[in-house]
Amino acid sequence: MSEVTVILPEGETKHFSGETSVADVLAEMLSNKQRKKIVAAAVGDNLVDLSAKLDSLDQEKVELYPVLVSSDDGLDILRHSTAHLMAKAVVDLYGPNLKVAIGPAIEDGFYYDFDRKAPFTPEDFESIEAKMEEIVKSGIPFERKVVSKAEAIRLFEEKGEQYKVELLKEIEGETVSLYQLGDFIDLCRGPHVPNSSWLQVFKLIKVAGAYWRGDEHNPMLQRLYGTAFDDRKKLKKYLNDLEEAKKRDHRKLGKELGLFTISDQVGPGLVLWQPKGALLRRIIEDYWKEEHYKHDYELLYTPHIARLDLWQTSGHLDFYSENMYSSMAIDEVQYQLKPMNCPFHISIYKSQMRSYREFPLRWCELGTVYRYERTGVLHGLLRVRGFTQDDAHIFCRPDQLEEEIFNILDLNLKILETFGFDQYDIYLSTRPDKYVGSEEHWQRATDALKHALEKRGLAYEIDPGEGVFYGPKIDIKIKDVLGRSWQCSTIQVDFNLPERFEVNYIGEDGKEHQPIMIHRALMGSLERFIGVLIENYAGAFPIWLAPVQARIMNITDAQHDYCKNVYQQLRQAGVRIEKDLRNEKLNYKIREAQLAKIPYMLVIGDREAESGTVTVRERSGKNLPPMTVEDFAAKINNECRAAMA
């Protein structure tokens, strides 16, 4: 190609020889100040290196969009390049004793997997980072090479890199791209930064085990995690947030606060709720039930097992069997632990003929389900094998669909905001390649979801092709105080189950019609949601959620009887109270109450016992004036009502 026309975002057009690099084009069309922040370029949906020649783009007219290093795409390129930088440093230091697997950029940084017998240690991290800094100072260029697949296989076979060879043999096409940084070469699509001098802000974070290709039957590799930024202040903030996240780890706080435990004797991924955790869960469940009752839902309870035939009809055995536990024989009939609540609610629906006049039917259940998760992915309350969904299913007529979605959104956001989550990202997932139902039904359901979001004034992003096979959906990802996103709420329209189970109703015309079924979960699962709550509040729950709202403590044994009397009065008034009447120094008791994240401490000495009052100390350390027991109970109850209003 002799000449290529280049168009920049501002509309400026210029003609260049096909041998001209993207970097040279930008050098001629942009100022030096602008170019310093450009790490790559976008051509349509493709990202290309600055070193790429125009004729390699295979277009006579090219719309070229500079990619800033501070942009999302730019940061991904920076982190992916830093992954290669780390891999080169590791190979330089330990080369003869390891094999290299894969190393992508991820949401908060990057990782690389290595096959090495000796475990990596913190001392290794220091050596690796020092080597990385040495390579950065050298300014070694990233060089892209396109070679035949056969040549690439020979290259990596000679190096003994069997993981690369395995990947190459599965790649379609005759050619592949490789990237070279000094003497380190890897299979990679790119793009990358121009040279290693761009990679000055990085930090290695941790090492973890990872099975090759995520398969527990494959070798266990060592995964080195790191992060990289285009600015040192951003790295500092990230590392500070990381330390804060460690302090908030729900597994650590759950143990310290006596909320839950997981026992190997019982089984991994199966949660045992301790008294305070059970009380926290009950508070959440009671609030959930009250709100659903106000919004015209009816509560259901269903069994933990069902005949295997039910899951055959529902399609779970076809689409979900790898996440289901083995069936069990009872009276020579096969039964199955439930992974979902949906088929039970449909069975209740089918227990009698339904009329169009009954709709909408809004049924909810805190239903415990069981799903197989690999041991390696289990994570405290966030990834478990037995969990309770805050499930609901709405059966409605097509003309009611949009209004029902609107009502679900209102209830959803109200509940999330009550728990302190008012920042979230919303996604509308559309029809995937494989789906059931007619295009007309899909369009109607997608439009209903879209219009409900727009009427509610909620910003959302389209997630094309990410709907479930039975219908489109809305996903809501809440953000905690550290800005981390958590997937909780989902609203799904289903054409599949009503058809599979032949669910019908008698319409106004006297004929049978198929209702629309909406699946929805607001918190997702109680286990996961409580894990998020613990981390969001760092265990210091607001007064209405705190399993223990106050702790009574005496100064001397002389106030023992009065403390017990106050304890009983407050318990009868509905205050969640506990007492500490040990023969310990007051400051020690106060310190322990603060570590337990208890909102209020009631200090009782001779003066309080004589006057019939309590001295109130807040969790923060602030002292309030003495007040009567009745006034303190009223204070707690008023604060709770205000929080839940």
Side-chain angles (χ1 to χ4, degrees):
M1 192 177 290
S2 58
E3 189 175 81
V4 177
T5 301
V6 177
I7 307 169
L8 288 183
E10 294 79 9
E12 184 182 355
T13 300
K14 201 162 186 178
H15 303 288
F16 292 92
S17 162
E19 287 296 310
T20 310
S21 70
V22 170
D24 288 340
V25 170
L26 296 176
E28 190 164 333
M29 300 181 77
L30 298 174
S31 70
N32 188 49
K33 183 178 180 181
Q34 289 173 305
R35 286 188 289 111
K36 282 183 177 180
K37 300 178 181 179
I38 297 171
V39 71
V43 179
D45 293 331
N46 297 319
L47 297 174
V48 299
D49 296 297
L50 293 179
S51 60
K53 304 293 185 182
L54 291 180
D55 57 11
S56 70
L57 305 179
D58 200 27
Q59 297 179 35
E60 293 182 1
K61 184 179 287 186
V62 175
E63 292 189 26
L64 203 63
Y65 292 84
V67 175
L68 298 177
V69 69
S70 57
S71 68
D72 288 345
D73 283 338
L75 197 55
D76 278 347
I77 292 168
L78 183 81
R79 287 172 172 169
H80 190 188
S81 300
T82 311
H84 280 238
L85 170 67
M86 179 183 72
K88 173 173 170 50
V90 170
V91 170
D92 286 353
L93 291 169
Y94 313 104
N97 301 311
L98 59 75
K99 305 297 178 189
V100 180
I102 59 171
I106 55 177
E107 184 177 358
D108 293 320
F110 59 86
Y111 70 76
Y112 236 105
D113 289 343
F114 300 97
D115 189 344
R116 180 180 183 236
K117 290 183 179 179
F120 286 106
T121 66
E123 291 74 23
D124 291 324
F125 277 27
E126 293 177 13
S127 300
I128 295 167
E129 287 180 339
K131 191 67 176 177
M132 290 170 71
E133 289 171 358
E134 180 184 315
I135 299 167
V136 167
K137 290 176 183 176
S138 301
I140 302 173
F142 279 87
E143 298 179 272
R144 183 173 189 264
K145 297 181 178 181
V146 177
V147 301
S148 70
K149 190 167 73 170
E151 183 181 345
I153 289 174
R154 283 196 300 272
L155 172 68
F156 286 109
E157 282 180 338
E158 288 172 3
K159 290 177 173 288
E161 296 287 3
Q162 71 265 25
Y163 298 109
K164 302 297 179 184
V165 173
E166 181 180 328
L167 291 173
L168 278 163
K169 288 180 178 178
E170 296 178 5
I171 292 177
E172 296 181 1
E174 296 301 316
T175 61
V176 294
S177 62
L178 308 176
Y179 275 83
Q180 188 158 355
L181 181 64
D183 55 2
F184 174 74
I185 192 165
D186 202 358
L187 175 67
C188 183
R189 286 195 297 264
H192 285 284
V193 299
N195 60 68
S196 61
S197 67
W198 282 72
L199 312 175
Q200 299 189 23
V201 184
F202 58 82
K203 183 69 178 175
L204 301 192
I205 304 298
K206 65 177 181 179
V207 61
Y211 290 110
W212 168 236
R213 312 190 83 169
D215 188 336
E216 59 197 26
H217 299 102
N218 286 337
M220 172 67 79
L221 308 178
Q222 293 189 69
R223 177 167 292 177
L224 284 182
Y225 286 92
T227 192
F229 289 89
D230 62 310
D231 181 271
R232 293 198 182 276
K233 290 181 180 178
K234 294 177 184 177
L235 175 61
K236 184 178 179 181
K237 181 183 182 304
Y238 175 78
L239 294 177
N240 287 339
D241 286 348
L242 208 58
E243 286 303 309
E244 183 62 28
K246 289 179 183 177
K247 296 174 187 175
R248 293 169 178 266
D249 190 320
H250 75 282
R251 295 166 298 177
K252 169 178 170 286
L253 290 172
K255 181 177 181 180
E256 292 173 357
L257 302 178
L259 299 176
F260 70 93
T261 189
I262 295 174
S263 165
D264 286 338
Q265 189 174 24
V266 173
L270 302 173
V271 181
L272 302 172
W273 293 99
Q274 298 187 36
K276 289 177 183 175
L279 184 51
L280 172 62
R281 177 171 167 153
R282 195 207 78 189
I283 294 162
I284 294 171
E285 290 182 0
D286 288 350
Y287 167 71
W288 185 90
K289 290 174 184 175
E290 289 168 7
E291 284 300 316
H292 279 72
Y293 182 78
K294 292 175 187 175
H295 286 77
D296 204 22
Y297 282 77
E298 296 174 296
L299 187 65
L300 303 180
Y301 290 99
T302 59
H304 291 249
I305 62 172
R307 294 170 68 119
L308 195 63
D309 296 352
L310 184 74
W311 310 108
Q312 186 70 62
T313 303
S314 71
H316 285 94
L317 287 179
D318 296 327
F319 295 100
Y320 209 72
S321 59
E322 70 276 7
N323 296 103
M324 297 169 67
Y325 284 98
S326 302
S327 59
M328 63 192 90
I330 302 175
D331 296 333
E332 299 182 355
V333 176
Q334 292 295 312
Y335 282 77
Q336 177 74 50
L337 273 172
K338 66 174 177 179
M340 305 278 187
N341 299 303
C342 333
F344 293 93
H345 292 195
I346 288 177
S347 296
I348 293 173
Y349 180 98
K350 287 174 65 72
S351 64
Q352 64 185 74
M353 179 58 71
R354 306 288 175 176
S355 164
Y356 74 97
R357 298 180 186 275
E358 297 178 61
F359 291 146
L361 292 172
R362 303 185 185 105
W363 290 342
C364 63
E365 177 183 12
L366 292 168
T368 301
V369 298
Y370 303 89
R371 299 179 189 174
Y372 171 70
E373 298 280 3
R374 291 176 178 171
T375 303
V377 302
L378 297 175
H379 185 80
L381 297 177
L382 303 181
R383 200 76 176 262
V384 293
R385 288 175 171 169
F387 58 92
T388 302
Q389 287 184 307
D390 69 316
D391 221 346
H393 296 95
I394 293 93
F395 297 89
C396 65
R397 305 189 306 266
D399 61 288
Q400 297 171 320
L401 177 59
E402 187 174 314
E403 185 66 23
E404 285 307 301
I405 294 168
F406 190 83
N407 292 338
I408 293 169
L409 282 170
D410 278 349
L411 175 59
N412 198 337
L413 298 182
K414 180 184 187 301
I415 287 179
L416 291 178
E417 287 169 9
T418 300
F419 284 107
F421 300 111
D422 56 7
Q423 299 293 319
Y424 32 75
D425 293 320
I426 300 177
Y427 299 88
L428 173 57
S429 300
T430 57
R431 190 180 70 215
D433 293 335
K434 294 182 179 180
Y435 63 92
V436 297
S438 68
E439 290 189 16
E440 179 187 352
H441 282 163
W442 271 87
Q443 191 61 51
R444 179 188 297 168
T446 304
D447 288 345
L449 293 171
K450 182 179 179 181
H451 293 158
L453 287 169
E454 291 172 351
K455 282 186 180 180
R456 187 66 173 76
L458 296 168
Y460 64 92
E461 293 182 34
I462 297 290
D463 204 356
E466 290 303 313
V468 285
F469 72 93
Y470 52 75
K473 62 174 180 169
I474 291 172
D475 286 325
I476 300 178
K477 295 184 179 181
I478 60 176
K479 292 187 176 181
D480 65 13
V481 294
L482 296 182
R484 298 175 297 178
S485 291
W486 305 89
Q487 172 63 55
C488 286
S489 312
T490 187
I491 305 168
Q492 303 174 357
V493 180
D494 186 358
F495 310 118
N496 180 53
L497 288 184
E499 184 176 321
R500 279 179 171 269
F501 282 94
E502 299 180 351
V503 175
N504 295 303
Y505 67 93
I506 303 300
E508 194 172 3
D509 58 2
K511 298 178 181 178
E512 288 191 355
H513 300 269
Q514 185 174 294
I516 290 180
M517 183 179 184
I518 306 172
H519 305 250
R520 89 43 328 203
L522 308 185
M523 295 183 285
S525 81
L526 289 185
E527 285 74 10
R528 179 178 173 81
F529 193 71
I530 290 173
V532 174
L533 281 173
I534 294 170
E535 299 208 1
N536 185 63
Y537 289 111
F541 298 108
I543 190 68
W544 78 276
L545 265 179
V548 179
Q549 295 170 322
R551 180 182 287 179
I552 299 170
M553 52 192 70
N554 58 334
I555 296 176
T556 69
D557 287 344
Q559 300 93 40
H560 189 278
D561 290 341
Y562 178 67
C563 285
K564 292 179 70 175
N565 181 264
V566 170
Y567 171 82
Q568 290 298 333
Q569 288 183 63
L570 290 173
R571 197 170 176 90
Q572 291 301 313
V575 177
R576 298 190 289 275
I577 186 83
E578 65 182 22
K579 53 185 181 294
D580 183 353
L581 305 182
R582 294 174 299 166
N583 185 20
E584 297 284 358
K585 291 182 179 180
L586 180 62
N587 285 342
Y588 177 78
K589 293 182 181 181
I590 289 173
R591 175 62 177 158
E592 283 211 329
Q594 287 176 320
L595 290 174
K597 317 278 189 181
I598 296 172
Y600 291 107
M601 287 146 271
L602 305 183
V603 179
I604 295 176
D606 289 338
R607 182 180 59 183
E608 288 80 14
E610 291 169 5
S611 62
T613 61
V614 293
T615 292
V616 182
R617 180 185 177 91
E618 293 182 348
R619 181 164 50 198
S620 64
K622 179 182 177 182
N623 289 312
L624 303 181
M627 61 183 73
T628 65
V629 176
E630 292 80 6
D631 285 346
F632 179 73
K635 172 181 171 61
I636 295 292
N637 291 326
N638 288 337
E639 288 181 11
C640 290
R641 279 192 292 269
M644 300 172 68

